[in-house]
Short mmCIF file of all heavy atoms in Angstrom, two decimals:
data_model
loop_
_atom_site.label_atom_id
_atom_site.label_comp_id
_atom_site.label_asym_id
_atom_site.label_seq_id
_atom_site.Cartn_x
_atom_site.Cartn_y
_atom_site.Cartn_z
N LEU A 1031 7.25 40.21 12.67
CA LEU A 1031 6.14 40.71 13.39
C LEU A 1031 5.54 41.88 12.79
O LEU A 1031 6.20 42.69 12.13
CB LEU A 1031 6.68 41.20 14.85
CG LEU A 1031 5.61 41.50 15.82
CD1 LEU A 1031 4.74 40.37 16.25
CD2 LEU A 1031 6.26 42.24 17.08
N PRO A 1032 4.13 41.98 12.72
CA PRO A 1032 3.52 43.04 12.02
C PRO A 1032 3.88 44.47 12.61
O PRO A 1032 4.10 44.41 13.93
CB PRO A 1032 1.95 42.80 12.16
CG PRO A 1032 1.94 41.94 13.36
CD PRO A 1032 3.13 41.04 13.27
N PRO A 1033 3.90 45.42 11.87
CA PRO A 1033 4.25 46.76 12.58
C PRO A 1033 3.31 47.15 13.60
O PRO A 1033 2.08 46.73 13.57
CB PRO A 1033 4.20 47.70 11.26
CG PRO A 1033 3.32 47.10 10.37
CD PRO A 1033 3.57 45.56 10.49
N GLU A 1034 3.71 48.09 14.49
CA GLU A 1034 2.85 48.48 15.56
C GLU A 1034 1.76 49.32 14.96
O GLU A 1034 1.89 50.35 14.05
CB GLU A 1034 3.63 49.30 16.49
CG GLU A 1034 3.21 49.25 17.96
CD GLU A 1034 4.21 49.98 18.81
OE1 GLU A 1034 5.43 49.71 18.74
OE2 GLU A 1034 3.68 50.93 19.67
N ASP A 1035 0.48 48.95 15.39
CA ASP A 1035 -0.77 49.70 14.90
C ASP A 1035 -0.79 51.04 15.78
O ASP A 1035 -0.31 51.10 16.82
CB ASP A 1035 -2.04 48.96 15.13
CG ASP A 1035 -2.02 47.61 14.22
OD1 ASP A 1035 -1.96 47.84 13.12
OD2 ASP A 1035 -2.03 46.45 14.81
N ASN A 1036 -1.44 51.93 15.13
CA ASN A 1036 -1.75 53.19 15.82
C ASN A 1036 -2.67 52.83 16.96
O ASN A 1036 -3.75 52.14 16.86
CB ASN A 1036 -2.40 54.15 14.88
CG ASN A 1036 -2.70 55.46 15.60
OD1 ASN A 1036 -2.95 55.55 16.81
ND2 ASN A 1036 -2.59 56.58 14.79
N LEU A 1037 -2.35 53.18 18.29
CA LEU A 1037 -3.16 52.76 19.44
C LEU A 1037 -4.57 53.44 19.33
O LEU A 1037 -5.39 52.98 20.24
CB LEU A 1037 -2.36 53.13 20.59
CG LEU A 1037 -1.13 52.42 20.86
CD1 LEU A 1037 -0.49 52.68 22.35
CD2 LEU A 1037 -1.18 50.91 20.78
N ASN A 1038 -4.68 54.39 18.65
CA ASN A 1038 -6.03 55.03 18.61
C ASN A 1038 -6.85 54.48 17.46
O ASN A 1038 -8.07 54.84 17.31
CB ASN A 1038 -5.91 56.51 18.38
CG ASN A 1038 -5.31 57.18 19.53
OD1 ASN A 1038 -5.62 56.88 20.76
ND2 ASN A 1038 -4.25 58.21 19.15
N SER A 1039 -6.24 53.46 16.65
CA SER A 1039 -6.99 52.92 15.52
C SER A 1039 -7.61 51.59 15.87
O SER A 1039 -7.24 51.03 17.00
CB SER A 1039 -6.11 52.79 14.33
OG SER A 1039 -5.13 51.83 14.52
N SER A 1040 -8.45 51.08 15.01
CA SER A 1040 -9.02 49.72 15.29
C SER A 1040 -8.20 48.63 14.33
O SER A 1040 -8.55 48.74 13.21
CB SER A 1040 -10.47 49.61 14.93
OG SER A 1040 -11.09 50.47 15.91
N PRO A 1041 -7.35 47.75 14.86
CA PRO A 1041 -6.66 46.89 13.99
C PRO A 1041 -7.54 45.93 13.39
O PRO A 1041 -8.56 45.54 13.94
CB PRO A 1041 -5.60 46.22 15.01
CG PRO A 1041 -6.28 46.31 16.30
CD PRO A 1041 -7.09 47.72 16.38
N LYS A 1042 -7.24 45.36 12.28
CA LYS A 1042 -7.92 44.24 11.54
C LYS A 1042 -7.18 42.92 11.68
O LYS A 1042 -5.97 43.05 11.79
CB LYS A 1042 -8.10 44.68 10.16
CG LYS A 1042 -8.80 46.03 9.77
CD LYS A 1042 -10.19 46.07 10.47
CE LYS A 1042 -10.87 47.46 10.07
NZ LYS A 1042 -12.22 47.42 10.69
N LEU A 1043 -7.92 41.92 11.60
CA LEU A 1043 -7.34 40.57 11.67
C LEU A 1043 -6.45 40.55 10.38
O LEU A 1043 -6.83 40.69 9.23
CB LEU A 1043 -8.26 39.57 11.58
CG LEU A 1043 -7.87 37.97 12.07
CD1 LEU A 1043 -7.26 38.07 13.29
CD2 LEU A 1043 -8.98 37.11 11.91
N ASP A 1044 -5.17 40.12 10.49
CA ASP A 1044 -4.09 40.07 9.54
C ASP A 1044 -4.33 38.81 8.68
O ASP A 1044 -4.04 37.69 9.22
CB ASP A 1044 -2.76 40.14 10.07
CG ASP A 1044 -1.67 40.41 9.04
OD1 ASP A 1044 -1.76 39.72 7.92
OD2 ASP A 1044 -0.75 41.21 9.25
N THR A 1045 -4.86 38.92 7.55
CA THR A 1045 -5.10 37.58 6.70
C THR A 1045 -3.84 36.81 6.38
O THR A 1045 -3.81 35.69 6.38
CB THR A 1045 -5.90 37.95 5.45
OG1 THR A 1045 -5.21 38.96 4.72
CG2 THR A 1045 -7.31 38.52 5.82
N GLN A 1046 -2.68 37.65 6.16
CA GLN A 1046 -1.45 37.08 5.83
C GLN A 1046 -0.87 36.17 7.02
O GLN A 1046 -0.51 35.05 6.84
CB GLN A 1046 -0.49 38.00 5.44
CG GLN A 1046 0.90 37.34 5.03
CD GLN A 1046 2.00 38.45 4.75
OE1 GLN A 1046 1.82 39.50 5.02
NE2 GLN A 1046 3.15 37.96 4.37
N ARG A 1047 -1.08 36.74 8.13
CA ARG A 1047 -0.55 35.99 9.37
C ARG A 1047 -1.51 34.86 9.71
O ARG A 1047 -1.03 33.94 10.31
CB ARG A 1047 -0.54 37.08 10.51
CG ARG A 1047 0.80 37.98 10.39
CD ARG A 1047 0.89 38.88 11.64
NE ARG A 1047 1.42 38.08 12.82
CZ ARG A 1047 2.62 37.83 12.92
NH1 ARG A 1047 3.56 38.08 12.09
NH2 ARG A 1047 2.90 37.15 14.05
N GLN A 1048 -2.77 35.06 9.45
CA GLN A 1048 -3.66 33.79 9.56
C GLN A 1048 -3.22 32.72 8.69
O GLN A 1048 -3.30 31.41 9.23
CB GLN A 1048 -5.13 34.26 9.30
CG GLN A 1048 -5.78 34.97 10.48
CD GLN A 1048 -5.65 34.08 11.67
OE1 GLN A 1048 -6.40 33.03 11.82
NE2 GLN A 1048 -5.12 34.59 12.78
N GLN A 1049 -2.77 33.04 7.56
CA GLN A 1049 -2.40 31.81 6.59
C GLN A 1049 -1.11 31.20 7.11
O GLN A 1049 -1.00 30.04 7.27
CB GLN A 1049 -2.04 32.47 5.22
CG GLN A 1049 -1.61 31.41 4.22
CD GLN A 1049 -1.31 31.88 2.95
OE1 GLN A 1049 -1.43 33.18 2.61
NE2 GLN A 1049 -0.56 31.19 2.00
N LYS A 1050 -0.24 32.13 7.67
CA LYS A 1050 0.97 31.64 8.38
C LYS A 1050 0.77 30.81 9.55
O LYS A 1050 1.34 29.82 9.87
CB LYS A 1050 1.97 32.73 8.61
CG LYS A 1050 2.37 33.62 7.25
CD LYS A 1050 2.98 32.62 6.21
CE LYS A 1050 3.31 33.40 4.95
NZ LYS A 1050 3.81 32.60 3.80
N ALA A 1051 -0.20 31.30 10.40
CA ALA A 1051 -0.58 30.59 11.61
C ALA A 1051 -1.10 29.28 11.39
O ALA A 1051 -0.73 28.18 12.03
CB ALA A 1051 -1.59 31.46 12.31
N ARG A 1052 -1.88 29.03 10.28
CA ARG A 1052 -2.37 27.74 9.95
C ARG A 1052 -1.24 26.77 9.40
O ARG A 1052 -1.19 25.62 9.74
CB ARG A 1052 -3.57 27.86 8.94
CG ARG A 1052 -4.86 28.47 9.40
CD ARG A 1052 -5.96 28.34 8.38
NE ARG A 1052 -5.79 29.28 7.29
CZ ARG A 1052 -6.25 30.55 7.22
NH1 ARG A 1052 -6.79 31.05 8.32
NH2 ARG A 1052 -6.06 31.33 6.28
N GLU A 1053 -0.36 27.42 8.65
CA GLU A 1053 0.84 26.62 8.19
C GLU A 1053 1.68 26.15 9.37
O GLU A 1053 2.14 24.90 9.44
CB GLU A 1053 1.65 27.41 7.24
CG GLU A 1053 1.02 27.79 5.93
CD GLU A 1053 1.82 28.72 5.07
OE1 GLU A 1053 2.97 28.99 5.44
OE2 GLU A 1053 1.41 29.11 3.96
N TYR A 1054 1.91 27.14 10.30
CA TYR A 1054 2.76 26.85 11.42
C TYR A 1054 2.18 25.76 12.26
O TYR A 1054 2.78 24.80 12.67
CB TYR A 1054 2.87 28.16 12.11
CG TYR A 1054 3.95 28.14 13.28
CD1 TYR A 1054 4.97 27.28 13.39
CD2 TYR A 1054 3.84 29.09 14.32
CE1 TYR A 1054 5.83 27.28 14.39
CE2 TYR A 1054 4.85 29.12 15.35
CZ TYR A 1054 5.81 28.16 15.44
OH TYR A 1054 6.68 28.18 16.36
N GLY A 1055 0.81 25.89 12.52
CA GLY A 1055 0.20 24.81 13.31
C GLY A 1055 0.22 23.55 12.67
O GLY A 1055 0.44 22.52 13.33
N ARG A 1056 0.00 23.35 11.41
CA ARG A 1056 -0.07 22.11 10.67
C ARG A 1056 1.30 21.47 10.72
O ARG A 1056 1.44 20.16 11.08
CB ARG A 1056 -0.34 22.28 9.23
CG ARG A 1056 -1.88 22.46 8.98
CD ARG A 1056 -2.14 22.18 7.55
NE ARG A 1056 -1.51 23.06 6.65
CZ ARG A 1056 -2.02 24.26 6.29
NH1 ARG A 1056 -3.29 24.60 6.71
NH2 ARG A 1056 -1.30 25.12 5.42
N ILE A 1057 2.46 22.22 10.63
CA ILE A 1057 3.78 21.57 10.66
C ILE A 1057 4.15 21.21 12.03
O ILE A 1057 4.65 20.11 12.35
CB ILE A 1057 4.86 22.71 10.19
CG1 ILE A 1057 4.59 23.16 8.81
CG2 ILE A 1057 6.28 22.11 10.37
CD1 ILE A 1057 5.50 24.19 8.26
N GLU A 1058 3.80 22.07 13.10
CA GLU A 1058 3.93 21.65 14.41
C GLU A 1058 3.27 20.48 14.82
O GLU A 1058 3.88 19.38 15.39
CB GLU A 1058 3.50 22.79 15.43
CG GLU A 1058 4.56 23.90 15.64
CD GLU A 1058 4.20 24.67 16.80
OE1 GLU A 1058 2.97 25.11 16.96
OE2 GLU A 1058 5.03 24.96 17.67
N ARG A 1059 2.03 20.21 14.44
CA ARG A 1059 1.21 19.05 14.71
C ARG A 1059 1.83 17.79 14.04
O ARG A 1059 1.83 16.81 14.64
CB ARG A 1059 -0.23 19.24 14.32
CG ARG A 1059 -0.99 20.20 15.19
CD ARG A 1059 -2.50 20.21 15.00
NE ARG A 1059 -2.80 20.71 13.68
CZ ARG A 1059 -3.04 22.11 13.50
NH1 ARG A 1059 -2.90 23.03 14.51
NH2 ARG A 1059 -3.37 22.50 12.26
N ARG A 1060 2.37 18.06 12.74
CA ARG A 1060 2.91 16.89 12.10
C ARG A 1060 4.05 16.37 12.85
O ARG A 1060 4.22 15.13 13.01
CB ARG A 1060 3.29 17.29 10.66
CG ARG A 1060 3.66 16.23 9.71
CD ARG A 1060 4.08 16.93 8.33
NE ARG A 1060 3.00 17.69 7.81
CZ ARG A 1060 3.25 18.79 7.08
NH1 ARG A 1060 4.47 19.00 6.68
NH2 ARG A 1060 2.15 19.47 6.52
N PHE A 1061 4.89 17.23 13.30
CA PHE A 1061 6.14 16.85 14.02
C PHE A 1061 5.65 16.11 15.37
O PHE A 1061 6.31 15.25 15.81
CB PHE A 1061 7.17 17.92 14.24
CG PHE A 1061 8.06 18.13 13.18
CD1 PHE A 1061 7.65 18.78 11.94
CD2 PHE A 1061 9.31 17.55 13.08
CE1 PHE A 1061 8.70 18.99 10.96
CE2 PHE A 1061 10.18 17.63 12.01
CZ PHE A 1061 9.85 18.43 10.99
N THR A 1062 4.68 16.62 16.00
CA THR A 1062 4.12 16.10 17.12
C THR A 1062 3.64 14.69 17.03
O THR A 1062 3.97 13.74 17.83
CB THR A 1062 3.05 17.05 17.79
OG1 THR A 1062 3.51 18.24 18.04
CG2 THR A 1062 2.50 16.34 19.08
N TYR A 1063 2.95 14.46 15.94
CA TYR A 1063 2.36 13.12 15.62
C TYR A 1063 3.69 12.17 15.46
O TYR A 1063 3.66 10.95 15.88
CB TYR A 1063 1.56 13.14 14.40
CG TYR A 1063 0.34 14.04 14.50
CD1 TYR A 1063 -0.19 14.56 13.40
CD2 TYR A 1063 -0.28 14.18 15.78
CE1 TYR A 1063 -1.42 15.36 13.64
CE2 TYR A 1063 -1.32 14.99 15.96
CZ TYR A 1063 -1.80 15.51 14.87
OH TYR A 1063 -3.04 16.39 14.93
#
């Protein structure tokens, strides 16, 4: 899990986790099919 952001800051979308999210989704869908 990404480290806790400073609650007073504006977090950015994590590009590394987005890549992993797409990988995770593809594998899950493959097994579902």
Side-chain angles (χ1 to χ4, degrees):
L1031 187 67
E1034 212 172 307
D1035 293 299
N1036 186 328
L1037 296 184
N1038 296 318
S1039 67
S1040 297
K1042 304 298 183 182
L1043 192 64
D1044 191 319
T1045 55
Q1046 180 189 11
R1047 288 185 69 80
Q1048 278 303 294
Q1049 179 184 350
K1050 301 305 179 184
R1052 289 189 288 271
E1053 291 176 4
Y1054 189 21
R1056 281 197 299 269
I1057 297 171
E1058 277 196 312
R1059 288 190 292 273
R1060 189 180 307 150
F1061 274 82
T1062 299
Y1063 300 150

